């Protein structure tokens, strides 16, 4: 009963969000995503993401309707904090994504690699890295991407990744971290 109560609240919060408006309603979607993560995950392993899930939650539908759709329509008015949480949902549920899901979301992630937000493009790069390097966990979870799919993801993302590390802002932002690490 707690799950259904939370899911109704998540739906109400999602209904409040309007991506076309530049206001604080993005926080409703942020709260709904956070609550969804809390309700749907029973256990995780940092290396793999969510491994034990709440069976009363339709994670595939939520990812398709809310996460994939939102990442496909990210615009200049979308708050970086909201984008980061959408990316976190992908990171957490990566074991539940099919190869087709990963290939379908890759163009949206490629666009996010070009974001001026350091958090957004860094988190996107981390997700892509996890997608292409996933390894099996026993018999329960198998490698998600075939070698051909890994090649497809890498071909799409290689240029944007190189643009990040050669950009002036990256080099400028990297200096304080290197200075701190070297002291």
């Amino acid at each position: 009963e707690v799950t259904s109560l939370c899911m109704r609240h998540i739906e109400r919060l999602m209904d409040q969000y309007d991506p076309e408006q530049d206001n604080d309603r993005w926080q409703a979607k942020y709260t709904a995503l956070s609550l969804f993560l809390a309700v749907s995950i029973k256990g995780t392993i940092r290396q793999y993401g969510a491994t034990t899930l709440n069976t009363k939650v339709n994670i595939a539908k939520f990812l398709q309707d809310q996460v994939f759709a939102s990442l496909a329509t990210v615009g200049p008015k979308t708050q970086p904090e909201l984008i980061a949480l959408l990316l976190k949902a992908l990171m957490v549920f990566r074991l539940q994504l099919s190869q087709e899901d990963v290939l379908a979301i890759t163009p949206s992630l490629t666009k996010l690699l070009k974001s001026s937000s350091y958090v957004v493009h860094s988190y996107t790069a981390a997700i892509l890295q996890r997608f292409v390097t996933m390894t099996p966990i026993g018999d329960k979870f198998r490698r998600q991407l075939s070698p051909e799919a890994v090649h497809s993801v890498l071909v799409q993302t290689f240029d944007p990744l190189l643009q990040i590390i050669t950009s002036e802002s990256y080099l400028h932002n990297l200096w304080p971290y290197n200075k701190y690490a070297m002291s």
Side-chain angles (χ1 to χ4, degrees), residues 32 38 125 152 182:
S152 174
M182 297 301 283

Side-chain angles (χ1 to χ4, degrees), residues 161-173:
L161 286 169
L162 285 178
Q163 289 172 6
I164 291 170
I165 62 173
T166 59
S167 72
E168 187 64 36
S169 64
Y170 177 81
L171 297 173
H172 178 72
N173 287 332

Side-chain angles (χ1 to χ4, degrees), residues 4-17 32 35 61-62 66:
S4 61
L5 177 69
C6 289
M7 291 307 293
R8 285 194 302 272
H9 189 63
I10 289 168
E11 287 176 30
R12 281 195 298 273
L13 287 168
M14 288 295 193
D15 289 342
Q16 293 176 19
Y17 175 69
L35 183 56
K61 181 176 179 357
F62 187 86
Q66 299 299 334

Side-chain angles (χ1 to χ4, degrees), residues 30-66:
Y30 187 93
T31 303
L33 284 166
S34 298
L35 183 56
F36 181 80
L37 289 171
V39 168
S40 60
I41 301 168
K42 287 186 170 184
T44 64
I45 300 173
R46 185 175 181 170
Q47 181 180 0
Y48 299 108
T51 55
T52 310
L53 305 171
N54 183 341
T55 57
K56 296 176 183 175
V57 177
N58 189 341
I59 292 169
K61 181 176 179 357
F62 187 86
L63 288 174
Q64 197 71 34
D65 295 349
Q66 299 299 334

